[in-house]
Amino acid sequence: DHSKDSRGVTLEDFKRGLQELQAYNVHDRFNKVIVRKPGAFGGIEGVDFHIEDCSGCTCLVCDKTEEFYADALVDCRVLIGPCASSTFIRNCENCTFWVVTRQFRVRDCTNCTFYVHCHTEPVIESSKDLRIAPFCAEYPGLSEHFREAKFDPAKNFWGAVFDFSGLPDRANWKIQPLDDCEQLVVSFQGPGALAGRYMWGCGGFSRLG
């Protein structure tokens, strides 16, 4: 609050708030909700988005990116709108991801759930206790983003997982049972008519039905 400071925003204040101004980079956040609404990137092509070192956060990226990086997340929920190239998820624990991407790469992750739409075989490495299922999320403008990214909704290799660290006697991943799947519905206008188990609206997350 700078209302009592006739000097306006000081250099120290600006440096402290600079992190909030980084549209494409999120880091060192704790128990926050981070949202990039449709059109947040102004139609710019080739946007690389990076989220790292966050705990207990919800990050909803409802726009297109070129590449997406998620590193060192704990107890987070992340929605990744259509990524035209590759999504890299590394060193994450106890997280849930909803991901639309051309290539999907996971490394050094533990106890995470992934709802994936992927146009190539997902690749995991040095990870364990992973659960994978088809993408099940929606937000305003998602269908248009699919078309703009030239993604075919009917073409999804989510289950064709290649595990670099797979062993004959132990699987590092499994298909998420249908009854345990979570649909994420993002709305910026209020609850409305929804289907699924969770929704995010202006009031935050709520459980459905």
Side-chain angles (χ1 to χ4, degrees):
D1 181 6
H2 307 293
S3 59
K4 298 180 181 180
D5 188 347
S6 60
R7 298 173 300 166
V9 179
T10 66
L11 178 60
E12 290 74 17
D13 293 329
F14 177 77
K15 289 180 177 179
R16 195 161 50 244
L18 182 60
Q19 179 174 301
E20 303 292 334
L21 302 177
Q22 295 178 351
Y24 314 135
N25 294 279
V26 176
H27 56 88
D28 298 312
R29 305 288 183 88
F30 305 95
N31 302 315
K32 300 293 185 181
V33 175
I34 302 105
V35 180
R36 299 295 183 265
K37 292 184 178 181
F41 303 144
I44 298 174
E45 300 294 332
V47 168
D48 294 344
F49 195 96
H50 197 171
I51 176 172
E52 63 178 329
D53 296 320
C54 295
S55 177
C57 291
T58 295
C59 182
L60 306 173
V61 181
C62 303
D63 208 346
K64 297 184 282 104
T65 58
E66 183 68 24
E67 289 192 340
F68 199 104
Y69 301 86
D71 291 298
L73 307 183
V74 178
D75 298 325
C76 290
R77 301 165 68 84
V78 182
L79 170 63
I80 302 171
C83 175
S85 182
S86 299
T87 295
F88 300 92
I89 299 176
R90 303 169 292 202
N91 299 103
C92 295
E93 184 176 356
N94 302 332
C95 294
T96 300
F97 296 85
W98 291 264
V99 185
V100 179
T101 187
R102 192 168 302 280
Q103 296 182 338
F104 184 65
R105 302 288 184 266
V106 175
R107 191 185 72 209
D108 297 313
C109 290
T110 302
N111 191 34
C112 290
T113 302
F114 302 96
Y115 299 99
V116 180
H117 182 96
C118 185
H119 276 209
T120 60
E121 295 83 355
V123 174
I124 65 175
E125 182 178 2
S126 302
S127 300
K128 62 181 181 179
D129 299 328
L130 305 185
R131 296 161 298 280
I132 301 177
F135 182 77
C136 52
E138 58 184 271
Y139 63 79
L142 176 60
S143 296
E144 182 179 355
H145 289 165
F146 258 81
R147 290 193 296 271
E148 292 174 350
K150 296 181 172 58
F151 283 179
D152 181 356
K155 180 182 178 181
N156 187 1
F157 290 92
W158 69 272
V161 177
F162 182 79
D163 183 0
F164 273 110
S165 307
L167 298 173
D169 60 341
R170 188 191 71 204
N172 295 312
W173 68 280
K174 68 177 183 179
I175 295 176
Q176 177 82 325
L178 181 61
D179 289 344
D180 294 332
C181 288
E182 300 176 10
Q183 182 183 18
L184 177 64
V185 179
V186 179
S187 171
F188 302 108
Q189 303 297 326
L194 299 169
R197 296 186 62 191
Y198 289 87
M199 63 112 16
W200 188 92
C202 296
F205 267 108
S206 60
R207 190 178 181 93
L208 302 175

